[in-house]
Amino acid sequence: MTSHVHWKLALCTIFLLCVAASAASSDELPATVQYQQWFSEYASILETTLQIKRQANSNTTLYFNKELVKLLANATIEMRLIDNTTESTIVESSSIGLPCRQLVMEMFRIFRTIGQAELQGCAAYATQELRYWTTQRFFSYANILHREATELTHRVSLILEQYSKLTQMDNIRDTLSDEYYRFNSLNNSLQEVLNRELERFGPPDHPLRKALFDCLDTTVTYHQLDMEYVLSYVDSGCMNVIDQRSCASANFLVDYNGNFSELAREVEFELQQMRQFNGELIREFNRELLLEFGSMIPRMRQASQELEMYIQNRDDVEDECREYTVFLFELYRTFQEFDIQDCAYYAFADLQNDALYRFLPVERSYSKENYRSISQTVITLGRTNVLEPEEVRAELQEELEYFTVLRDSYRTLLEEELAKHGDDAYITINRFEDCRDEAFYWQDNDIEYIKSYLDENCYL
C-alpha cells in the first residue's frame, strides 16, 4: 500500500512540474494568471514563514514545559524526602512504644495523602492553564493566517466567478489588486500578533510559571509543617535518612519528557515537509486550471467582438433588423457569460474542497494531538499519584507507545491525502474541459444563428 502511495505521489509531482515548466514558457500571461502567480508566490513565502514560526513556537513551548516539569520534579523529590525522613524517624525511634508508633504512623499516612492530593492539584491546575497557553494562544492566530493563505491560492477563481469575463475585465483587475493589498494588510497585522505570541513565555514572572511555583512552594511548606507536627509526637530527634531511590525515580520524569519532546519535534518536521508539498500541489493545480481559463476567455471574447463588428458592418440590412439583432447579440452574450461563470463556479468549488478539505483536516487533527505530547509529562503528573513512581512511569510509557503508533497511522493517512490531489485534479480538469467545450459549442451555435438571422434581414 505504501509503495503504491509513493508511486502516485511521484507521478503527481512529475506531472505538476511539467505543467509548471510548460506554463513558464509563455511570453505573456493573462492578468488573471499573473495575479495567480503573485498570490501563489505570496502563499509560498508565507508558508515558509509560518513553518519557521511554528518551529520557534515548538521550541519555546518545549523549553517552558521543561521548566514546569523541573518545578514539579523538584517538589516531588522534596515531598518524598520529607515523607521518607518522617517515616524512618517513626520506625527507627526507640523512645516510643507500639501503640504510640501505630498512632503516629496512622497520622503520617493521613497527612501524606493530603500532601499528595495538594501536589496533584498543583499539577492539574498547570495542565489546565497550559492547554490555553499552548494550544490556543499561538495556534488560533496561525490557523487563521494559514487558512487565508490557503484560500489565496484559489482566490482568482472565486473572483472570476463573480464578474463577467467578457465585459468586466477592469473590475476583475481592480478586485484582484484590492484583494492582494487587503491580504497584505491582514498578514502584516497577524505577523505582529504571532511575533508577540512567540514571546509569551519570556517574562520571568510569567503567570503560569509563578502560579505553579507558588502552589508547589506552599504545598511543600505546609507538608513539611504537617510532618513536623506528626513528629512532635515522637520524643526522639529526626533522622535525616535520604532514600537515593527517590532521586532516581524522579529523574525518569525528565527522561520521559525528553522522549516526548524529541518525538514531537520529529513529527513536526515531517508535518512541515508535508504542508509544503501540499501547498505546492494546490498552487500548481490552481495555476493549471487558470491557464485553461486564460485560453477559454480570450477565445470567447474574440468571437463575441467579431460578431459585434459583423452586425455593425453588415450591408443590406434594415435599421430595425439591425437594432433587434443587437438586442439578440447582447442577450446571447449574457447567456455566454453565465456559461463562463458556471465553469468558474464549479472549478472554484472543486478547488476549495481540494485545498481545505483534502489534507488540512487530517493534518490539523494530528498537529493538535502531537502538540499535546509535548505536555504529556505534566498531564500525567496531574492525574496520577505522584508519590507512587511506578504508577507514573507506567502511564508515561503507555502514552509514549500511543504517540509512537499514532505517528505511523497518521503518516499513512497524510500520504494518502496528498496522493488524492492527483485524483481530484483529474476529475476537476475533465469537468472543466467538458464545461468549456459546452460553452464553446453554444456560443458557436448562437453566433451562427444570429448571423443567419441578420443575413436574412430578420425575415422581413
Side-chain angles (χ1 to χ4, degrees):
M1 178 62 184
T2 303
S3 60
H4 178 65
V5 171
H6 284 259
W7 174 80
K8 293 184 72 177
L9 284 171
L11 183 61
C12 187
T13 304
I14 295 172
F15 171 72
L16 292 175
L17 288 175
C18 292
V19 170
S22 62
S25 63
S26 301
D27 295 332
E28 184 176 356
L29 296 174
T32 52
V33 178
Q34 183 62 66
Y35 268 100
Q36 176 61 27
Q37 284 185 329
W38 292 339
F39 286 154
S40 297
E41 290 169 2
Y42 202 148
S44 179
I45 294 172
L46 184 57
E47 179 65 32
T48 302
T49 303
L50 282 175
Q51 287 183 8
I52 294 173
K53 291 190 175 180
R54 285 192 189 99
Q55 186 61 52
N57 182 64
S58 295
N59 291 336
T60 188
T61 305
L62 287 173
Y63 181 78
F64 187 71
N65 271 270
K66 288 180 180 179
E67 291 185 330
L68 300 185
V69 169
K70 287 180 181 178
L71 290 175
L72 286 166
N74 291 336
T76 302
I77 291 174
E78 286 188 59
M79 293 188 67
R80 285 177 184 164
L81 291 176
I82 293 171
D83 289 345
N84 291 337
T85 301
T86 303
E87 186 175 15
S88 298
T89 302
I90 297 171
V91 172
E92 299 293 333
S93 177
S94 60
S95 62
I96 57 176
L98 181 60
C100 180
R101 195 186 312 276
Q102 291 176 340
L103 174 63
V104 174
M105 284 299 297
E106 184 63 26
M107 292 174 60
F108 165 73
R109 294 188 187 96
I110 293 173
F111 282 108
R112 182 178 62 179
T113 302
I114 294 174
Q116 172 189 316
E118 291 176 345
L119 188 62
Q120 284 182 314
C122 293
Y125 168 79
T127 300
Q128 180 179 359
E129 292 298 309
L130 195 62
R131 187 175 297 110
Y132 165 74
W133 285 99
T134 57
T135 62
Q136 296 182 28
R137 287 289 295 268
F138 176 87
F139 277 101
S140 60
Y141 301 111
N143 286 340
I144 291 173
L145 191 55
H146 190 209
R147 180 182 179 88
E148 287 288 330
T150 302
E151 290 184 347
L152 194 65
T153 59
H154 56 261
R155 195 65 54 83
V156 176
S157 299
L158 176 60
I159 293 172
L160 283 176
E161 187 269 331
Q162 295 174 342
Y163 289 95
S164 165
K165 273 57 68 181
L166 300 180
T167 61
Q168 294 179 297
M169 279 305 297
D170 289 339
N171 291 344
I172 293 176
R173 292 189 187 94
D174 291 342
T175 302
L176 289 171
S177 177
D178 293 342
E179 190 67 21
Y180 186 89
Y181 287 108
R182 181 201 68 82
F183 182 81
N184 186 62
S185 176
L186 174 66
N187 175 49
N188 291 337
S189 299
L190 287 177
Q191 290 294 348
E192 274 190 39
V193 174
L194 290 177
N195 290 336
R196 289 198 299 269
E197 287 299 308
L198 290 177
E199 300 173 356
R200 66 191 184 279
F201 295 128
D205 58 343
H206 187 280
L208 179 53
R209 185 190 292 112
K210 186 176 184 301
L212 181 59
F213 175 83
D214 292 342
C215 181
L216 294 175
D217 184 63
T218 301
T219 298
V220 172
T221 299
Y222 277 106
H223 191 64
Q224 177 70 49
L225 293 174
D226 290 339
M227 292 305 166
E228 289 178 359
Y229 170 74
V230 171
L231 290 177
S232 68
Y233 284 80
V234 181
D235 295 331
S236 65
C238 296
M239 298 175 59
N240 190 19
V241 179
I242 302 177
D243 187 350
Q244 297 297 329
R245 290 177 299 174
S246 296
C247 297
S249 62
N251 288 336
F252 77 83
L253 294 176
V254 178
D255 294 337
Y256 270 101
N257 187 67
N259 293 336
F260 283 118
S261 300
E262 183 63 26
L263 179 61
R265 187 180 293 110
E266 291 175 0
V267 169
E268 179 61 28
F269 178 77
E270 292 180 5
L271 288 177
Q272 287 180 4
Q273 302 299 312
M274 289 186 174
R275 290 189 197 106
Q276 183 175 355
F277 185 57
N278 180 66
E280 291 173 357
L281 291 177
I282 292 173
R283 286 189 287 274
E284 291 302 333
F285 185 15
N286 276 265
R287 177 182 173 82
E288 178 189 0
L289 198 55
L290 285 168
L291 285 173
E292 294 289 343
F293 271 108
S295 62
M296 172 188 181
I297 295 172
R299 189 266 200 194
M300 296 186 68
R301 186 187 300 116
Q302 181 179 357
S304 179
Q305 292 172 349
E306 290 176 354
L307 177 59
E308 187 175 17
M309 294 297 297
Y310 182 85
I311 295 172
Q312 293 174 358
N313 298 326
R314 181 67 168 86
D315 297 331
D316 302 327
V317 175
E318 299 289 340
D319 292 340
E320 181 183 357
C321 176
R322 193 186 309 277
E323 181 179 350
Y324 184 71
T325 305
V326 170
F327 166 77
L328 286 179
F329 162 73
E330 293 176 349
L331 176 63
Y332 280 102
R333 184 174 63 180
T334 301
F335 295 155
Q336 294 156 20
E337 292 171 355
F338 288 160
D339 290 340
I340 297 176
Q341 288 177 341
D342 286 343
C343 294
Y345 174 78
Y346 294 135
F348 162 73
D350 287 347
L351 292 173
Q352 185 182 48
N353 288 333
D354 179 74
L356 298 182
Y357 307 117
R358 170 55 64 201
F359 172 85
L360 290 182
V362 180
E363 180 271 331
R364 286 176 178 170
S365 173
Y366 185 31
S367 181
K368 183 177 181 180
E369 188 69 5
N370 178 61
Y371 207 74
R372 183 174 68 85
S373 69
I374 300 175
S375 309
Q376 185 57 52
T377 305
V378 179
I379 295 173
T380 295
L381 290 174
R383 66 189 184 196
T384 57
N385 184 348
V386 295
L387 300 181
E388 297 294 339
E390 292 306 319
E391 178 184 342
V392 177
R393 189 194 300 270
E395 175 166 320
L396 288 173
Q397 181 60 33
E398 182 179 341
E399 291 293 336
L400 185 61
E401 292 173 358
Y402 161 75
F403 283 110
T404 302
V405 173
L406 191 70
R407 177 186 187 180
D408 294 334
S409 300
Y410 265 102
R411 180 189 290 145
T412 301
L413 286 175
L414 290 171
E415 288 177 349
E416 290 175 351
E417 287 294 302
L418 289 174
K420 289 176 183 177
H421 277 304
D423 299 333
D424 292 343
Y426 178 79
I427 294 172
T428 301
I429 291 298
N430 283 345
R431 183 181 300 174
F432 172 79
E433 289 176 348
D434 291 341
C435 184
R436 177 200 60 194
D437 293 343
E438 185 175 359
F440 286 166
Y441 171 80
W442 286 112
Q443 185 187 42
D444 292 342
N445 274 270
D446 295 342
I447 292 174
E448 182 180 350
Y449 168 72
I450 292 174
K451 282 185 176 181
S452 64
Y453 190 76
L454 185 65
D455 292 341
E456 295 296 334
N457 196 23
C458 301
Y459 305 109
L460 295 176

